[in-house]
């Protein structure tokens, strides 16, 4: 039993250490960022169907499952604001982008579900 607990603690610690540095933005902060669409890249990582059913103007759709193959379409020189339905897929996207060398990443806290 103690080995299981130790293994879980180690897993959580490693996950926390390797977690990308991401700024979390709320609805109000996102509204401010969207005022300067030329300064930021806005990426929605939901599926195309989800994106087409409810989207926020200014975001482009790059589904998480296709992100690795489309990473060259993003600039490393501009901050990237990531969004999904609830915030977890966009954090996975942040991990992918961090491994690809992107530094300035933001995640919409709670995803699009918090925007309505």
């Amino acid at each position: 039993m103690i080995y299981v607990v130790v293994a879980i603690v180690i897993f959580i610690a490693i996950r926390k250490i390797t977690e990308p540095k991401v700024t979390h933005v709320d609805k109000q902060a996102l509204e401010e960022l969207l005022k300067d669409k030329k300064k930021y890249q806005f990426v929605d990582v939901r599926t195309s169907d989800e994106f087409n059913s409810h989207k926020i103007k200014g975001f482009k759709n790059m589904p998480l499952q296709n992100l690795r193959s489309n990473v060259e379409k993003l600039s490393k020189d501009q901050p990237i604001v990531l969004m999904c339905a609830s915030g977890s897929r966009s954090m996975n996207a942040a991990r992918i982008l961090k491994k690809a060398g992107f530094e300035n990443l933001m995640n919409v806290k709670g995803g699009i579900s918090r925007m309505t």
Side-chain angles (χ1 to χ4, degrees):
M1 180 66 174
I2 189 76
Y3 296 112
V4 173
V5 172
V6 170
I8 291 170
V9 169
I10 290 172
F11 173 79
I12 292 170
I14 290 171
R15 180 93 172 173
K16 194 68 174 166
I17 291 168
T18 60
E19 189 76 19
K21 300 291 185 250
V22 176
T23 302
H24 295 277
V25 295
D26 60 13
K27 180 180 180 178
Q28 184 177 4
L30 177 62
E31 288 170 356
E32 288 300 313
L33 296 174
L34 283 165
K35 290 178 182 176
D36 195 354
K37 291 184 178 86
K38 291 184 181 187
K39 184 177 179 182
Y40 301 94
Q41 301 171 87
F42 297 93
V43 179
D44 188 323
V45 298
R46 295 177 298 150
T47 65
S48 296
D49 287 342
E50 288 175 294
F51 180 76
N52 290 326
S53 71
H54 183 229
K55 53 188 158 188
I56 294 179
K57 188 177 179 183
F59 276 84
K60 63 181 165 186
N61 187 221
M62 294 181 99
L64 181 61
Q65 64 268 24
N66 303 330
L67 187 61
R68 281 186 180 90
S69 61
N70 288 307
V71 74
E72 73 282 348
K73 295 179 181 177
L74 298 170
S75 171
K76 291 182 181 177
D77 298 327
Q78 286 180 289
I80 300 174
V81 180
L82 299 160
M83 182 176 62
C84 66
S86 65
S88 67
R89 280 181 284 181
S90 50
M91 279 305 295
N92 286 335
R95 285 184 197 93
I96 291 167
L97 294 174
K98 189 72 170 174
K99 285 180 184 176
F102 290 84
E103 293 294 325
N104 198 343
L105 304 169
M106 294 178 233
N107 183 37
V108 176
K109 187 177 180 179
I112 199 164
S113 64
R114 294 268 178 100
M115 298 299 112
T116 54

